[in-house]
């Protein structure tokens, strides 16, 4: 599960910076990557992801993460920078709410202030 969470964090970081500079094509790509990673968990493709400890992470993903990703998708589709920022904030809050729901509230996600991967051009 830690590997999937690392994928979530990497893709969300890149998604943020693509959306911030309104590179909607790149933002859509990283949203697709984030959604694909979430499907691995939600669909139970990897048995050890379900359940983690006593929490059904697949169900939490379906109930919490997928709706937040849909909001991000709508913001990207509208190419609205403010809607994207609001949707991204919702995504971050959703991640933290899921961590609390699964007794992992000590893992706190924030909006990034600079890209983790500095060797990528985010502007179109």
């Amino acid at each position: 599960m830690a590997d999937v969470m690392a994928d979530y964090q990497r893709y969300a970081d890149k998604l943020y910076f693509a959306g911030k500079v309104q590179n909607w094509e790149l933002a859509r790509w990283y949203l697709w990557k984030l959604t694909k990673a979430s499907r691995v968990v939600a669909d139970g493709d990897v048995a050890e992801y379900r359940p983690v400890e006593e929490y059904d992470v697949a169900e939490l993903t379906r109930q919490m993460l997928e709706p937040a990703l849909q909001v991000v998708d709508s913001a990207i589709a509208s190419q609205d920078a403010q809607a994207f920022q609001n949707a991204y904030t919702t995504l971050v809050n959703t991640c933290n709410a899921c961590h609390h729901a699964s007794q992992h509230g000590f893992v706190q996600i924030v909006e990034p202030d600079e890209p983790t991967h500095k060797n990528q051009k985010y502007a179109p």
Side-chain angles (χ1 to χ4, degrees):
M1 193 67 214
D3 291 340
V4 172
M5 289 293 125
D7 285 345
Y8 283 178
Q9 193 169 17
R10 181 176 69 249
Y11 298 143
D13 180 76
K14 290 176 174 250
L15 168 67
Y16 178 79
F17 289 102
K20 189 172 176 88
V21 297
Q22 299 181 41
N23 185 343
W24 303 119
E25 184 177 14
L26 186 60
R28 178 152 308 286
W29 167 255
Y30 283 116
L31 177 62
W32 177 77
K33 296 293 286 178
L34 189 55
T35 300
K36 185 176 177 186
S38 75
R39 295 309 316 158
V40 169
V41 177
D43 292 343
D45 290 342
V46 182
E48 67 262 22
Y49 294 158
R50 188 198 280 228
V52 174
E53 298 164 5
E54 65 271 13
Y55 308 100
D56 188 343
V57 176
E59 187 60 26
L60 288 171
T61 299
R62 283 190 294 274
Q63 289 180 359
M64 298 179 81
L65 181 60
E66 288 180 355
L69 294 176
Q70 290 172 357
V71 173
V72 175
D73 184 50
S74 294
I76 292 170
S78 70
Q79 298 188 1
D80 181 330
Q82 187 58 55
F84 176 82
Q85 180 61 53
N86 294 342
Y88 194 87
T89 299
T90 297
L91 177 62
V92 168
N93 291 338
T94 300
C95 291
N96 289 324
C98 188
H99 294 164
H100 283 284
S102 63
Q103 303 301 310
H104 289 82
F106 53 89
V107 179
Q108 296 181 12
I109 304 302
V110 298
E111 291 180 21
D113 55 5
E114 63 181 52
T116 301
H117 302 279
K118 296 178 182 174
N119 64 338
Q120 182 171 353
K121 179 182 173 191
Y122 291 96

